[in-house]
Amino acid sequence: IWGALDSGILTGKYANEIPKGSRLHKDSRFASFFDKIPQWKHDKVRKLKTLAENKLNTTITSLAMAWCLKNEDTTVIILGARNRKQLSATFQCFQVYKKLDDKIMK
């Protein structure tokens, strides 16, 4: 899966605003490749964040990566970590993977 975190949207960092220095910020060289994040996507991210934190005791990032791992159609997940902290957070998904049942996967 390419873009498992939807260019950072599934990390929750764009939920309230687009941080300066991020890929989606208007001053970024990548900004022209991305449109405004639609409201339905913000709403979905908020629901997933609540599920991740309240039911699975994890982050939305770990939930998204674990979902990719659990998805039977996935052959490989391409990670886009830019630093050690992001990579470490990504590996937490292996713990979440064990918690995903059919109901959560849908």
Side-chain angles (χ1 to χ4, degrees), residues 12-101:
K13 72 179 178 181
Y14 301 117
N16 298 316
E17 65 181 1
I18 298 178
K20 189 168 178 83
S22 70
R23 275 184 264 200
L24 300 186
H25 191 268
K26 64 180 178 160
D27 295 336
S28 166
R29 62 187 169 135
F30 300 108
S32 62
F33 293 104
F34 301 101
D35 290 329
K36 182 180 174 191
I37 303 168
Q39 187 59 46
W40 68 265
K41 201 173 269 196
H42 282 298
D43 296 341
K44 186 70 138 184
V45 168
R46 283 186 194 93
K47 287 179 185 177
L48 290 171
K49 187 173 189 288
T50 299
L51 171 72
E53 292 173 353
N54 296 337
K55 184 164 180 150
L56 300 170
N57 196 32
T58 192
T59 65
I60 189 173
T61 302
S62 291
L63 172 58
M65 297 303 292
W67 185 90
C68 292
L69 282 172
K70 191 85 169 183
N71 185 326
E72 293 178 2
D73 295 324
T74 301
T75 304
V76 66
I77 301 170
I78 300 171
L79 303 177
R82 296 188 318 191
N83 56 52
R84 287 182 184 180
K85 182 178 178 184
Q86 288 178 349
L87 188 59
S88 178
T90 298
F91 289 143
Q92 292 176 13
C93 73
F94 292 108
Q95 298 302 317
V96 179
Y97 170 87
K98 299 172 189 176
K99 299 177 185 179
L100 297 182
D101 57 24

